Amino acid sequence: MIKPATPETIAQGAKLLLNNELCVFPTETVYGLGANALSADAVLKIYQAKGRPAYNPLIVHIGSLDQLDEIVKEWSSLAKILTAKFWPGPLTVVVPRTDRIPAIVSAGLDTVAVRMPAHPIAQQLLQACNIPLAAPSANRSETISPTTAEHVAKNLPDIPLIIDGGPCIWGIESTVLDLTGNRPRLLRPGALSLSALREVVAEIELPQIVDDESAKLSPGMMKRHYAPRAKLILSNDLEQIDWSSLAKPIGLLLCHKQATPIMQHAAQIELLGYEAAAYATDLYAALHRLDDAQVSTIVAELPPNEEAWLAIHNRLTRAAT
Ligand code: TXA
Ligand code: MG
């Protein structure tokens, strides 16, 4: 059930979470499906509601740095520096975990992914319940992440409470950085850009998308993810597409902001522009709109092959797998 984010709703959400029930809340990236991160029973409900494979670990959200002691075993100087700069915000760090975090949260790994969200509603909820919250994106596994409360209700109708905080400002998930090795390793490009990270750490190992079997060893890199219902085709050159061979109706996802002749082939058109952050903010919402319009094929124009577009390329490529 969707409820506006009033103090009463937040109190109700905190109560559910303390009773080891699920509650959906907005973050600045995407909506999260929250549960008490200290309870294996509560976290199991997340996996069940999402149909999430047990080998894919969850991010633990905290409301204050005091909560780190309980869940994190080693907090390196690099972790301190990075989080001092980017928290609260769309950065998730993977660090060694304590035994207080049930194995199910981390899919059996001896690490935990932690993030302090910046969204005021997420912060108020975290303060109100005063426990760390495990929260993946609030969608069924392998479907498009939600950036509005309505996206969540459509995809996960049985969650007891969805706190509505309006559309998410980043619209794409947090950047996940593994801090357990010698050098920080990017596990998932996301809302926080590499150029912002490089202002703090010069050398970052970049991700490779690997096949799903090997991805189990290094989660976050699973190939297929974020997929719309329609078949998604990526193209560098829309002029070369054989439109007659595609299942109709066709939806178009373009970087343009102005009309082009290829638009005649489409039943619905989404114009996201050539600015990476603005494109990211509306990408999932546009894919949801195209699915709602029941197009059979989505043709997406590949955005520029530049680092600023890394997270978007990653999501589009995985959605098209
Ligand atoms: O923006 C976000 O990060 C959103 C909001 C709700 O905070 N959450 C989110 O969670 O995107 P989820 O579960 O959809 O993605 C979590 C990512 C996955 O790629 C997962 O494999 C990785 O984080 N991850 C979690 N724990 C990990 C760990 N211990 N080691 C390596 N990767 C981990
Ligand atoms: Mg997700």
Side-chain angles (χ1 to χ4, degrees):
M1 182 203 283
I2 300 181
K3 285 193 178 177
T6 61
E8 294 73 37
T9 311
I10 289 166
Q12 189 196 344
K15 198 170 157 201
L16 283 166
L17 292 162
L18 287 167
N19 282 330
N20 294 338
E21 298 295 335
L22 301 178
C23 171
V24 172
F25 59 95
T27 84
E28 70 277 24
T29 57
V30 298
Y31 275 72
L33 176 60
N36 179 359
L38 304 178
S39 159
D41 290 347
V43 171
L44 179 62
K45 292 179 185 171
I46 293 182
Y47 283 88
Q48 288 168 340
K50 279 183 66 88
R52 184 176 177 109
Y55 53 78
N56 195 4
L58 306 174
I59 295 174
V60 174
H61 297 66
I62 58 170
S64 77
L65 293 174
D66 304 341
Q67 287 174 310
L68 284 175
D69 284 346
E70 191 173 21
I71 60 180
V72 171
K73 197 148 102 188
E74 285 163 47
W75 196 239
S76 64
S77 53
L78 182 58
K80 273 185 205 131
I81 293 168
L82 280 166
T83 56
K85 181 151 171 89
F86 297 115
W87 278 5
L91 172 67
T92 297
V93 292
V94 173
V95 292
R97 71 172 167 92
T98 66
D99 292 339
R100 277 291 278 153
I101 292 293
I104 184 175
V105 172
S106 294
L109 300 169
D110 50 15
T111 54
V112 63
V114 194
R115 133 168 153 85
M116 186 189 285
H119 197 292
I121 308 301
Q123 289 201 349
Q124 286 164 35
L125 184 68
L126 282 159
Q127 304 302 335
C129 61
N130 197 28
I131 44 172
L133 296 178
S137 50
N139 53 289
R140 300 268 315 162
S141 207
E142 295 195 353
T143 66
I144 312 161
S145 298
T147 60
T148 66
E150 290 73 25
H151 295 159
V152 182
K154 193 175 64 169
N155 199 241
L156 291 175
D158 299 327
I159 306 302
L161 177 62
I162 300 168
I163 304 178
D164 190 352
C168 303
I169 52 165
W170 286 101
I172 195 163
E173 295 85 351
S174 64
T175 301
V176 182
L177 203 57
D178 178 2
L179 298 183
T180 59
N182 292 333
R183 276 195 297 174
R185 193 162 63 107
L186 185 66
L187 291 183
R188 179 179 72 183
L192 184 68
S193 70
L194 268 181
S195 59
L197 278 171
R198 288 214 186 88
E199 286 173 24
V200 182
V201 271
E203 283 190 74
I204 299 171
E205 276 181 49
L206 296 187
Q208 291 163 329
I209 294 188
V210 289
D211 60 80
D212 280 359
E213 258 332 285
S214 6
K216 288 175 192 169
L217 300 173
S218 122
M221 311 240 208
M222 243 82 64
K223 238 180 178 172
R224 188 183 156 79
H225 207 49
Y226 314 103
R229 213 172 29 225
K231 182 176 169 60
L232 176 64
I233 293 171
L234 307 179
S235 169
N236 269 319
D237 187 356
L238 298 167
E239 311 291 334
Q240 296 302 314
I241 287 179
D242 176 10
W243 298 93
S244 65
S245 70
L246 301 180
K248 295 180 184 58
I250 296 171
L252 274 179
L253 193 67
L254 300 181
C255 298
H256 300 67
K257 278 291 186 194
Q258 77 284 8
T260 90
I262 51 137
M263 287 180 177
Q264 63 180 308
H265 302 290
Q268 179 152 330
I269 300 160
E270 297 289 343
L271 305 175
L272 299 185
Y274 276 109
E275 202 276 303
Y279 185 111
T281 300
D282 206 27
L283 171 61
Y284 291 150
L287 290 172
H288 278 284
R289 288 192 293 270
L290 290 169
D291 264 354
D292 290 346
Q294 303 202 315
V295 298
S296 297
T297 310
I298 299 173
V299 176
E301 175 186 11
L302 271 172
N305 199 4
E306 294 161 10
E307 198 178 273
W309 294 84
L310 188 66
I312 292 162
H313 273 279
N314 170 279
R315 302 304 190 275
L316 285 174
T317 311
R318 291 162 72 178
T321 298

